[in-house]
CSV table of all heavy atoms in Angstrom, one decimal:
chain,number,residue,atom,x,y,z
I,1,LYS,N,95.5,106.3,131.9
I,1,LYS,CA,94.4,106.1,131.4
I,1,LYS,C,93.5,107.3,130.9
I,1,LYS,O,93.5,108.3,131.8
I,1,LYS,CB,93.4,105.3,132.3
I,1,LYS,CG,92.0,104.8,131.7
I,1,LYS,CD,91.2,104.1,132.5
I,1,LYS,CE,91.7,102.8,133.1
I,1,LYS,NZ,90.7,102.1,134.0
I,2,VAL,N,93.0,107.5,129.7
I,2,VAL,CA,92.3,108.6,129.2
I,2,VAL,C,91.2,108.2,128.4
I,2,VAL,O,91.1,107.2,127.8
I,2,VAL,CB,93.4,109.4,128.2
I,2,VAL,CG1,93.8,108.7,127.1
I,2,VAL,CG2,92.8,110.8,127.8
I,3,GLU,N,90.1,109.2,128.4
I,3,GLU,CA,88.9,108.9,127.7
I,3,GLU,C,88.8,109.9,126.6
I,3,GLU,O,89.0,111.1,126.8
I,3,GLU,CB,87.6,108.9,128.6
I,3,GLU,CG,86.4,108.6,127.8
I,3,GLU,CD,85.2,108.8,128.8
I,3,GLU,OE1,85.4,109.4,129.8
I,3,GLU,OE2,83.9,108.3,128.4
I,4,THR,N,88.7,109.4,125.4
I,4,THR,CA,88.5,110.3,124.2
I,4,THR,C,88.0,109.5,123.0
I,4,THR,O,87.8,108.3,123.1
I,4,THR,CB,90.1,110.8,123.8
I,4,THR,OG1,89.9,111.6,122.8
I,4,THR,CG2,90.9,109.6,123.3
I,5,ASP,N,87.6,110.3,122.0
I,5,ASP,CA,87.2,109.7,120.7
I,5,ASP,C,88.0,110.0,119.6
I,5,ASP,O,87.6,109.8,118.4
I,5,ASP,CB,85.6,110.1,120.5
I,5,ASP,CG,85.4,111.7,120.3
I,5,ASP,OD1,86.5,112.4,120.4
I,5,ASP,OD2,84.3,112.1,120.0
I,6,HIS,N,89.1,110.6,119.9
I,6,HIS,CA,90.0,111.2,118.8
I,6,HIS,C,91.5,111.2,119.3
I,6,HIS,O,91.7,111.9,120.2
I,6,HIS,CB,89.4,112.6,118.4
I,6,HIS,CG,90.3,113.0,117.2
I,6,HIS,ND1,90.0,114.3,116.5
I,6,HIS,CD2,91.1,112.4,116.4
I,6,HIS,CE1,90.7,114.5,115.5
I,6,HIS,NE2,91.6,113.4,115.3
I,7,ILE,N,92.3,110.5,118.6
I,7,ILE,CA,93.8,110.4,119.0
I,7,ILE,C,94.5,110.9,117.8
I,7,ILE,O,94.1,110.5,116.6
I,7,ILE,CB,94.1,108.9,119.2
I,7,ILE,CG1,93.6,108.6,120.6
I,7,ILE,CG2,95.7,108.8,119.2
I,7,ILE,CD1,94.4,109.2,122.0
I,8,ARG,N,95.6,111.6,117.9
I,8,ARG,CA,96.4,112.0,116.7
I,8,ARG,C,97.8,111.6,117.0
I,8,ARG,O,98.4,111.9,118.0
I,8,ARG,CB,96.1,113.4,116.3
I,8,ARG,CG,96.7,114.4,117.2
I,8,ARG,CD,96.2,115.7,116.6
I,8,ARG,NE,96.8,116.9,117.5
I,8,ARG,CZ,96.6,118.1,117.4
I,8,ARG,NH1,95.7,118.6,116.5
I,8,ARG,NH2,97.1,119.1,118.2
I,9,LEU,N,98.5,111.1,116.0
I,9,LEU,CA,99.9,110.9,115.9
I,9,LEU,C,100.6,112.0,115.2
I,9,LEU,O,100.3,112.1,114.0
I,9,LEU,CB,100.2,109.5,115.4
I,9,LEU,CG,101.8,109.2,115.1
I,9,LEU,CD1,102.6,109.0,116.5
I,9,LEU,CD2,101.8,107.8,114.4
I,10,ILE,N,101.6,112.7,115.7
I,10,ILE,CA,102.1,113.8,115.0
I,10,ILE,C,103.6,113.4,114.9
I,10,ILE,O,104.4,113.2,116.0
I,10,ILE,CB,102.0,115.1,115.8
I,10,ILE,CG1,100.5,115.5,115.7
I,10,ILE,CG2,102.7,116.3,115.1
I,10,ILE,CD1,100.2,116.8,116.6
I,11,ILE,N,104.2,113.5,113.8
I,11,ILE,CA,105.7,113.1,113.5
I,11,ILE,C,106.3,114.6,113.6
I,11,ILE,O,106.1,115.3,112.7
I,11,ILE,CB,105.8,112.4,112.2
I,11,ILE,CG1,104.9,111.2,112.2
I,11,ILE,CG2,107.3,112.1,112.1
I,11,ILE,CD1,105.1,110.2,113.3
I,12,LEU,N,107.2,114.6,114.4
I,12,LEU,CA,107.9,115.9,114.7
I,12,LEU,C,109.1,116.0,113.7
I,12,LEU,O,109.7,117.1,113.4
I,12,LEU,CB,108.3,116.2,116.1
I,12,LEU,CG,107.1,116.2,117.1
I,12,LEU,CD1,107.4,116.1,118.6
I,12,LEU,CD2,106.1,117.4,116.7
I,13,GLU,N,109.8,114.8,113.6
I,13,GLU,CA,111.1,114.9,112.9
I,13,GLU,C,111.2,113.5,112.1
I,13,GLU,O,110.7,112.4,112.7
I,13,GLU,CB,112.4,115.0,113.8
I,13,GLU,CG,112.6,116.2,114.4
I,13,GLU,CD,113.8,116.4,115.3
I,13,GLU,OE1,114.8,115.6,114.9
I,13,GLU,OE2,113.8,117.0,116.3
I,14,ALA,N,111.5,113.5,110.9
I,14,ALA,CA,111.8,112.3,110.1
I,14,ALA,C,112.7,112.5,109.0
I,14,ALA,O,113.0,113.6,108.5
I,14,ALA,CB,110.4,111.9,109.5
I,15,ASP,N,113.4,111.5,108.6
I,15,ASP,CA,114.4,111.5,107.4
I,15,ASP,C,113.7,111.5,106.1
I,15,ASP,O,114.3,111.8,105.2
I,15,ASP,CB,115.3,110.3,107.6
I,15,ASP,CG,116.4,110.6,108.7
I,15,ASP,OD1,116.7,111.7,108.8
I,15,ASP,OD2,116.9,109.6,109.2
I,16,ALA,N,112.4,111.1,106.0
I,16,ALA,CA,111.6,111.0,104.9
I,16,ALA,C,110.1,110.9,105.2
I,16,ALA,O,109.8,110.8,106.5
I,16,ALA,CB,112.0,109.8,104.0
I,17,ASP,N,109.3,111.0,104.3
I,17,ASP,CA,108.0,111.0,104.5
I,17,ASP,C,107.5,109.6,105.4
I,17,ASP,O,107.7,108.6,104.9
I,17,ASP,CB,107.1,111.1,103.2
I,17,ASP,CG,107.1,112.3,102.6
I,17,ASP,OD1,107.6,113.4,103.3
I,17,ASP,OD2,106.8,112.4,101.3
I,18,PRO,N,106.9,109.9,106.4
I,18,PRO,CA,106.6,108.7,107.4
I,18,PRO,C,105.5,107.8,106.8
I,18,PRO,O,104.5,108.4,106.2
I,18,PRO,CB,106.1,109.4,108.5
I,18,PRO,CG,106.5,110.8,108.6
I,18,PRO,CD,106.7,111.2,107.1
I,19,ILE,N,105.7,106.6,107.0
I,19,ILE,CA,104.7,105.6,106.6
I,19,ILE,C,104.4,104.8,107.8
I,19,ILE,O,105.1,103.9,108.4
I,19,ILE,CB,105.2,104.7,105.5
I,19,ILE,CG1,105.7,105.5,104.2
I,19,ILE,CG2,104.1,103.7,104.9
I,19,ILE,CD1,106.4,104.7,103.1
I,20,ILE,N,103.0,104.9,108.2
I,20,ILE,CA,102.6,104.2,109.5
I,20,ILE,C,101.8,103.1,109.1
I,20,ILE,O,100.8,103.1,108.4
I,20,ILE,CB,101.7,105.1,110.3
I,20,ILE,CG1,102.4,106.3,110.8
I,20,ILE,CG2,101.2,104.2,111.6
I,20,ILE,CD1,103.7,106.2,111.6
I,21,ARG,N,102.4,101.8,109.5
I,21,ARG,CA,101.8,100.6,109.1
I,21,ARG,C,100.6,100.3,110.1
I,21,ARG,O,99.7,99.7,109.7
I,21,ARG,CB,102.9,99.4,109.3
I,21,ARG,CG,102.4,98.1,109.2
I,21,ARG,CD,103.5,97.1,109.3
I,21,ARG,NE,103.2,95.7,109.4
I,21,ARG,CZ,103.9,94.7,109.7
I,21,ARG,NH1,105.2,94.8,109.8
I,21,ARG,NH2,103.5,93.4,109.7
I,22,GLU,N,100.8,100.8,111.3
I,22,GLU,CA,99.7,100.5,112.3
I,22,GLU,C,99.8,101.4,113.4
I,22,GLU,O,100.8,101.9,113.9
I,22,GLU,CB,99.7,99.1,112.8
I,22,GLU,CG,98.6,98.9,113.9
I,22,GLU,CD,98.8,97.3,114.5
I,22,GLU,OE1,99.5,96.5,113.9
I,22,GLU,OE2,98.3,97.2,115.7
I,23,LEU,N,98.7,102.1,113.8
I,23,LEU,CA,98.4,102.7,115.0
I,23,LEU,C,97.2,102.1,115.6
I,23,LEU,O,96.0,102.3,115.1
I,23,LEU,CB,98.1,104.3,114.8
I,23,LEU,CG,97.7,105.1,116.0
I,23,LEU,CD1,98.7,105.0,117.1
I,23,LEU,CD2,97.5,106.5,115.5
I,24,SER,N,97.4,101.5,116.7
I,24,SER,CA,96.3,100.8,117.6
I,24,SER,C,96.2,101.3,119.0
I,24,SER,O,97.3,101.5,119.6
I,24,SER,CB,96.5,99.3,117.4
I,24,SER,OG,96.4,98.8,116.1
I,25,LEU,N,95.0,101.2,119.4
I,25,LEU,CA,94.7,101.7,120.8
I,25,LEU,C,94.2,100.5,121.7
I,25,LEU,O,93.5,99.8,121.2
I,25,LEU,CB,93.8,103.0,120.9
I,25,LEU,CG,94.2,104.1,119.9
I,25,LEU,CD1,93.0,105.0,119.8
I,25,LEU,CD2,95.3,104.7,120.4
């Protein structure tokens, strides 16, 4: 459990430009 007001998803490796359909907390 963490308290924050800002989350980031960082893609470190990908075969093509990433497309994120959903990021939910």
Side-chain angles (χ1 to χ4, degrees):
K1 186 186 294 185
V2 62
E3 184 181 14
T4 186
D5 63 358
H6 187 181
I7 291 284
R8 67 184 183 188
L9 171 66
I10 298 176
I11 309 304
L12 301 171
E13 293 180 29
D15 279 332
D17 290 343
I19 306 174
I20 300 301
R21 175 180 171 182
E22 178 183 333
L23 168 60
S24 296
L25 307 172

